[in-house]
Amino acid sequence: MQNLVCSYNQSCFRQKAPQSLASNSNRSLILGRRYLFSLDLDSCEQEEEVELDYPLKNPRMTTRVLGSCNGLLCISNSDEEILLWNPSIRRHHEVPFTPIEFPVRLLRSDLRHMFYGFGYDPTTDDYKLIRVVEFYDDDDYPYSCDSEVKVYSLCTNSWRRILDMPYYLTCHCYYGVLANYALHWVAMRKTGPDTTSSFIVSFELRDEEYREVPLPDYVGDGFYMNLGVLGGQLCLLRIFSKVGVEVWVMKDYGVRDSWVKQSSLEQSAVIWPFCCIRPICYTKNGEVILDKYTADKAPLILYDPRSRSVWNIRLCDARDRNGAEICIGSLLLLDTKDGAQQTAMKKRQSEDDEDGSGKFKGRT
């Protein structure tokens, strides 16, 4: 891997992304379960995944990956415990807590959904975490909601509130898909008394504006969508229940005519149910790795678009998996060496669990 020259200054580092970050070298799959595990992306036949040691590791908590960018992982045990972590050099940065500002008419409402996204802004040389909270009214759920959107900046180490999300995000896509310096979710709008339509909404990290991404000019309806990234390009899964899946890739970002239908997957026991699959990446041989996130055992899936063959990537233990993300080896600096704040974190975790329930006691 090429060396990365960077400097660190008051929680903000300046770096130029090295060429190796865009290559296929030093890639790992980070698998979420109760703990985090790593699987060599180009050696998926290894005997087992490797359990990682990281600052938030806690037997009482499930760690989730909120995003991955340039070798940095955004990981979380709860909405109050979020870290930026570089597993390659074992350094991290703790993201400060920011409370949810409930709308007065929905004060402390339990009917809400929370979405995250993490990425890099090249105009300010900053890493940003976005949090979208949507509050729903029982009377018109899920077509009417209030929202609160906050953006965390690593350079300032602070959160700030921005304009509310003008769309209603779908619940099967909680983590924003990063492509072309923008985060993407599937959103929906009401088109009639009992009908809705889905589309792609983006949050541009450079100007912090919301936009709709044009969809392919495909024919037919009766499908739903999921998003991913393949080869650095935005990828759309057009999913037909009990029929199959179409894989579309946007070759020229933002240009409707650049969508290309890359392949089609027919119904198979290997990839059932369709609604729970997401494209992750290409292998060095051109196969597509898909994540299958279901409540039961959830293996990774390998799809060869040339032979149209589909098979499972056997994991040592796939129980209770909650996602998979790519992490590329890098030397991006963060302010704290792993282990330096472990004692303080464990003390806070002990205080939060002192009631003996093993459940996190959140602040409001």
Side-chain angles (χ1 to χ4, degrees):
M1 188 181 84
Q2 297 178 358
N3 289 332
L4 174 66
V5 179
C6 56
S7 62
Y8 188 88
N9 180 24
Q10 297 180 342
S11 298
C12 179
F13 48 85
R14 302 298 175 188
Q15 64 91 16
K16 297 298 182 185
Q19 185 176 359
S20 61
L21 291 178
S23 72
N24 290 335
S25 61
N26 299 293
R27 299 187 304 166
S28 297
L29 276 176
I30 305 300
L31 306 172
R33 223 162 31 236
R34 176 167 291 277
Y35 299 139
L36 297 181
F37 292 76
S38 177
L39 184 69
D40 189 324
L41 184 61
D42 298 317
S43 301
C44 288
E45 294 180 357
Q46 69 185 54
E47 291 185 1
E48 63 182 41
E49 57 274 24
V50 177
E51 184 175 331
L52 297 174
D53 190 20
Y54 53 94
L56 287 182
K57 198 169 186 178
N58 183 342
R60 296 185 180 91
M61 308 294 288
T62 296
T63 302
R64 298 182 181 274
V65 179
L66 305 183
S68 176
C69 179
N70 291 350
L72 298 185
L73 295 173
C74 184
I75 62 176
S76 172
N77 280 357
S78 72
D79 298 325
E80 294 189 357
E81 285 187 300
I82 301 176
L83 287 185
L84 303 183
W85 180 48
N86 187 331
S88 297
I89 59 174
R90 301 185 58 78
R91 296 188 72 90
H92 66 272
H93 177 79
E94 189 172 356
V95 175
F97 169 72
T98 183
I100 297 174
E101 301 172 21
F102 290 86
V104 174
R105 69 182 186 88
L106 297 174
L107 190 61
R108 298 183 183 274
S109 169
D110 289 329
L111 191 58
R112 64 181 185 270
H113 298 295
M114 193 172 297
F115 306 84
Y116 284 97
F118 175 63
Y120 174 65
D121 176 2
T123 61
T124 58
D125 196 15
D126 194 7
Y127 285 81
K128 296 179 178 180
L129 174 67
I130 180 175
R131 187 187 75 181
V132 181
V133 186
E134 293 193 337
F135 310 90
Y136 294 90
D137 192 331
D138 283 315
D139 295 335
D140 199 24
Y141 176 82
Y143 308 118
S144 177
C145 71
D146 295 299
S147 71
E148 173 207 280
V149 184
K150 290 185 176 181
V151 174
Y152 168 78
S153 161
L154 179 60
C155 280
T156 64
N157 193 35
S158 63
W159 291 88
R160 56 191 167 80
R161 187 160 180 180
I162 63 171
L163 291 176
D164 293 349
M165 172 69 72
Y167 308 101
Y168 314 132
L169 305 182
T170 59
C171 301
H172 67 275
C173 188
Y174 284 105
Y175 309 130
V177 172
L178 178 64
N180 204 64
Y181 303 113
L183 296 161
H184 303 80
W185 293 268
V186 176
M188 65 179 178
R189 60 167 58 93
K190 194 171 184 178
T191 56
D194 300 306
T195 59
T196 61
S197 65
S198 297
F199 58 98
I200 302 172
V201 59
S202 72
F203 176 77
E204 170 61 60
L205 291 165
R206 289 168 289 193
D207 61 14
E208 298 186 355
E209 295 287 339
Y210 307 107
R211 295 181 175 89
E212 291 189 34
V213 177
L215 293 174
D217 288 324
Y218 38 55
V219 178
D221 51 16
F223 64 92
Y224 51 97
M225 300 188 299
N226 209 348
L227 302 175
V229 175
L230 289 175
Q233 298 171 324
L234 184 63
C235 176
L236 165 67
L237 292 188
R238 191 182 182 210
I239 304 169
F240 298 87
S241 180
K242 300 182 181 181
V243 177
V245 179
E246 295 177 357
V247 181
W248 293 73
V249 174
M250 187 177 242
K251 297 294 185 179
D252 187 2
Y253 184 79
V255 179
R256 181 190 301 273
D257 293 340
S258 71
W259 282 106
V260 175
K261 188 169 84 168
Q262 184 165 288
S263 55
S264 297
L265 290 74
E266 297 179 354
Q267 180 177 346
S268 165
V270 174
I271 58 173
W272 179 261
F274 290 135
C275 63
C276 297
I277 64 172
R278 179 174 66 96
I280 299 295
C281 61
Y282 291 116
T283 69
K284 61 182 179 181
N285 297 321
E287 299 100 343
V288 178
I289 294 181
L290 300 163
D291 185 21
K292 180 179 177 182
Y293 48 100
T294 57
D296 202 353
K297 286 194 173 184
L300 295 172
I301 298 167
L302 198 62
Y303 170 64
D304 187 342
R306 292 158 296 194
S307 65
R308 303 185 71 179
S309 301
V310 182
W311 59 92
N312 288 328
I313 300 174
R314 299 296 178 183
L315 301 177
C316 181
D317 185 0
R319 292 174 297 177
D320 302 319
R321 259 197 339 102
N322 57 45
E325 293 290 342
I326 300 174
C327 187
I328 302 174
S330 79
L331 302 180
L332 292 176
L333 292 178
L334 293 172
D335 57 351
T336 306
K337 184 177 177 59
D338 288 2
Q341 292 181 340
Q342 293 294 86
T343 301
M345 286 186 178
K346 288 181 178 179
K347 182 178 179 181
R348 289 202 304 271
Q349 291 166 354
S350 177
E351 291 173 351
D352 288 326
D353 291 325
E354 64 184 2
D355 63 349
S357 67
K359 297 182 179 180
F360 186 82
K361 297 188 297 179
R363 287 172 280 182
T364 57

